[in-house]
Amino acid sequence: EVFRGFTEGPITFRPTYKFDTDAEEDVYDTSQKRRIPAYTDRVLFRSSDADALRLLRYDSCPQIRTSDHKPVVAEMELLFWPSVDSPMWQRNSRRSVASAATSSICSVM
């Protein structure tokens, strides 16, 4: 398995491929090929600590019409503990060792 250990959020959106690019509405492939709609755009994630990563939102962006694919977005909350040597720890030196910080991460590939 190539993606062993990875997780995907629940899919609650329509298939993200194959749309007609010249249509004003979301219309699946009307070309001669009549491709079957598919979920080709996905966000997979993994963490060594399952409690440290929480999926907040997993959705497609149907308003974007520049391609026959609809982009997919995942918003996550990452809980992490800065190292005592990190600049973040130095700025927050009164913080308890057991406390955590959160981060917003965005990556588009």
Side-chain angles (χ1 to χ4, degrees):
E1 273 185 47
V2 176
F3 298 111
R4 184 178 301 143
F6 283 84
T7 303
E8 180 179 23
I11 298 174
T12 59
F13 47 88
R14 295 174 57 199
T16 56
Y17 173 81
K18 162 73 166 107
F19 287 93
D20 288 345
T21 56
D22 56 354
E24 289 188 29
E25 297 291 321
D26 286 342
V27 177
Y28 288 110
D29 190 13
T30 59
S31 73
Q32 195 173 27
K33 292 181 180 179
R34 300 244 190 250
R35 292 180 185 95
I36 297 171
Y39 291 98
T40 59
D41 306 281
R42 314 289 275 273
V43 176
L44 304 176
F45 56 93
R46 73 177 181 181
S47 174
S48 58
D49 180 353
D51 295 328
L53 187 62
R54 186 169 57 119
L55 181 65
L56 304 176
R57 182 171 69 105
Y58 186 37
D59 205 356
S60 68
C61 303
Q63 67 278 15
I64 297 177
R65 299 189 190 321
T66 56
S67 171
D68 57 353
H69 291 260
K70 299 296 181 188
V72 172
V73 62
E75 183 179 352
M76 300 175 195
E77 181 177 73
L78 173 64
L79 196 62
F80 66 96
W81 290 265
S83 159
V84 292
D85 297 328
S86 75
M88 178 181 278
W89 181 268
Q90 302 303 321
R91 287 192 304 272
N92 300 298
S93 59
R94 295 178 193 209
R95 180 188 307 231
S96 163
V97 172
S99 69
T102 59
S103 175
S104 294
I105 300 171
C106 178
S107 178
V108 178
M109 297 192 199

